[in-house]
């Protein structure tokens, strides 16, 4: 986990021990300026310790650990019938909107992948991907204690419900308690009629990398949410609660080792 932190935030091993005694507030205010992902100087160990402390303080101040942004690529639109998730991505943001981590995996739907011309996921790519039962506890672990958010939550929530059911678990969140950046856009963009992810990102000057790929759409949604939080704050916090923690997700972070990305699939296919 520490090596992932170092890679994400560009922390290098240097002589200075600048971060040994820095407070969480100083870290958030000066070492990790909003919108940047690099430390200027410091050791991995000391910066990582300060970062964890900052996350803990932020969690205590806001009353929840942050946001889990989720997106699915699917075989179609009928989650409660014949369609299945074939890819899921999750991005973590802090309560203040800072990036904390990202994960994605293909899922074997045990059927064809549907509209390959849209999501570019072939039947061959999911051949070696895990079954939903092999990753669902990991997904649960990544969303517990956080507010779950998607762009067009009505669509993603149906797949949350059905994929958790197929994985042998109850849905962790009701539709009314799931947050939606599309609804935020409708509140903040006045009389604008278009609220697709691409439209919202275009208005905010955000480029979507790898559109119609779960991790690409999720990262774009996370940037959009961070922009909204920075501009407006969370104006409707009373409407949403964090996904409760559950013993059912115990050991779930170990299950992340089963995640199988598109890059993994392409290496298998060579």
């Amino acid at each position: 986990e520490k090596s992932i932190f170092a890679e994400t935030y560009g922390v290098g091993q240097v002589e200075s021990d600048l971060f040994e005694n820095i407070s969480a507030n100083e870290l958030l205010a000066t070492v990790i300026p909003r919108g940047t992902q690099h430390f200027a100087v410091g050791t991995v160990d000391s910066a990582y310790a300060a970062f964890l402390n900052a996350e803990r303080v932020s969690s205590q101040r806001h009353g929840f650990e942050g946001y889990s942004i989720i997106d699915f690529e699917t075989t179609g639109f009928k989650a409660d019938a014949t369609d299945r998730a074939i890819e899921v991505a999750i991005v973590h943001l802090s309560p203040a909107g800072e990036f904390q981590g990202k994960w994605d995996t293909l899922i074997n739907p045990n059927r064809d992948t549907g509209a390959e011309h849209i999501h570019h996921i072939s039947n061959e790519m999911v051949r070696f991907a895990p079954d939903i039962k092999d990753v669902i506890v990991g997904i649960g672990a990544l969303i517990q204690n956080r507010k779950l958010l998607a762009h067009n939550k009505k669509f993603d929530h149906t797949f949350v419900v059905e994929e958790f059911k197929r994985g042998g678990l109850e849905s962790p969140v009701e539709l009314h308690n799931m947050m939606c950046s599309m609804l935020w856009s409708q509140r903040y963009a006045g009389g604008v009629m278009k609220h697709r992810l691409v439209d919202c990102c275009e208005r905010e000057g955000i480029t979507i990398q790898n559109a119609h790929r779960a991790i690409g759409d999720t990262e774009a949604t996370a940037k959009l949410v961070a922009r909204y939080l920075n501009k407006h704050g969370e104006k409707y916090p009373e409407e949403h609660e964090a996904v409760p923690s559950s013993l059912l997700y115990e050991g779930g972070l170990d299950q992340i080792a089963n995640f199988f990305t598109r890059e993994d699939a392409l290496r298998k296919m060579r």
Side-chain angles (χ1 to χ4, degrees), residues 167-188:
L169 299 174
E170 293 185 1
S171 172
V173 63
E174 298 291 336
L175 177 62
H176 70 85
N177 205 38
M178 189 169 174
M179 305 184 78
C180 183
S181 52
M182 179 182 286
L183 295 181
W184 283 18
S185 172
Q186 292 170 6
R187 287 165 173 161
Y188 300 147

Side-chain angles (χ1 to χ4, degrees), residues 13-22 41-43 46:
Q13 292 284 2
V14 296
E15 294 181 1
S16 171
D17 289 326
L18 173 66
F19 300 128
E20 288 293 352
N21 299 307
I22 193 168
V41 68
T43 64
S46 55

Side-chain angles (χ1 to χ4, degrees), residues 34 67 92-100 222 225-227 229-230:
R34 186 185 299 276
Y67 301 91
H92 281 179
L93 294 181
S94 74
E98 287 94 359
F99 171 82
Q100 294 179 310
V225 169
R227 189 71 55 82
L229 288 171
N230 187 41

Side-chain angles (χ1 to χ4, degrees), residues 26-269:
E26 289 172 325
L27 180 72
L28 291 175
T30 63
V31 183
I32 317 180
R34 186 185 299 276
T36 67
Q37 295 182 358
H38 297 277
F39 289 104
V41 68
T43 64
V44 173
D45 286 347
S46 55
Y48 184 64
F51 180 77
L52 291 181
N53 185 52
E55 280 196 315
R56 178 183 58 78
V57 171
S58 178
S59 174
Q60 291 174 347
R61 183 171 68 249
H62 291 86
F64 67 108
E65 291 186 8
Y67 301 91
S68 282
I69 319 296
I70 194 167
D71 184 73
F72 291 95
E73 294 299 324
T74 68
T75 62
F77 299 101
K78 298 179 180 179
D80 57 349
T82 58
D83 287 311
R84 301 289 185 270
I86 54 176
E87 187 177 40
V88 62
I90 294 170
V91 170
H92 281 179
L93 294 181
S94 74
E98 287 94 359
F99 171 82
Q100 294 179 310
K102 62 181 180 179
W103 300 263
D104 66 299
T105 184
L106 293 171
I107 299 169
N108 190 331
N110 297 304
R111 50 152 289 177
D112 67 272
T113 58
E116 184 180 343
H117 65 285
I118 295 177
H119 50 58
H120 304 295
I121 300 174
S122 67
N123 295 331
E124 183 66 13
M125 289 174 70
V126 299
R127 178 182 172 193
F128 298 102
D131 186 88
I132 189 63
K133 292 180 180 179
D134 296 323
V135 294
I136 197 63
V137 175
I139 294 170
L142 288 173
I143 66 175
Q144 68 178 346
N145 298 319
R146 292 176 175 270
K147 296 185 178 183
L148 189 61
L149 186 149
H151 196 82
N152 188 9
K153 70 175 184 178
K154 288 185 178 180
F155 173 79
D156 289 282
H157 182 261
T158 61
F159 280 92
V160 169
V161 171
E162 295 302 325
E163 295 302 331
F164 268 77
K165 184 187 299 182
R166 293 183 186 107
L169 299 174
E170 293 185 1
S171 172
V173 63
E174 298 291 336
L175 177 62
H176 70 85
N177 205 38
M178 189 169 174
M179 305 184 78
C180 183
S181 52
M182 179 182 286
L183 295 181
W184 283 18
S185 172
Q186 292 170 6
R187 287 165 173 161
Y188 300 147
V192 175
M193 297 301 294
K194 294 182 178 181
H195 300 283
R196 297 175 304 167
L197 180 60
V198 64
D199 300 317
C200 296
C201 287
E202 184 176 326
R203 284 195 294 272
E204 295 294 334
I206 297 169
T207 300
I208 303 178
Q209 304 288 343
N210 300 310
H212 295 297
R213 176 175 176 175
I215 192 62
D217 288 350
T218 308
E219 287 181 310
T221 302
K223 291 176 182 177
L224 185 66
V225 169
R227 189 71 55 82
Y228 286 160
L229 288 171
N230 187 41
K231 284 185 173 181
H232 308 284
E234 188 184 318
K235 292 186 176 180
Y236 307 92
E238 71 282 354
E239 297 179 7
H240 308 96
E241 298 176 355
V243 173
S245 60
S246 172
L247 292 176
L248 296 174
Y249 306 143
E250 189 171 344
L253 296 181
D254 295 332
Q255 206 180 66
I256 293 174
N258 296 332
F259 283 18
F260 185 84
T261 67
R262 295 195 193 206
E263 289 73 24
D264 294 328
L266 293 176
R267 283 193 290 270
K268 279 277 190 181
M269 292 165 61

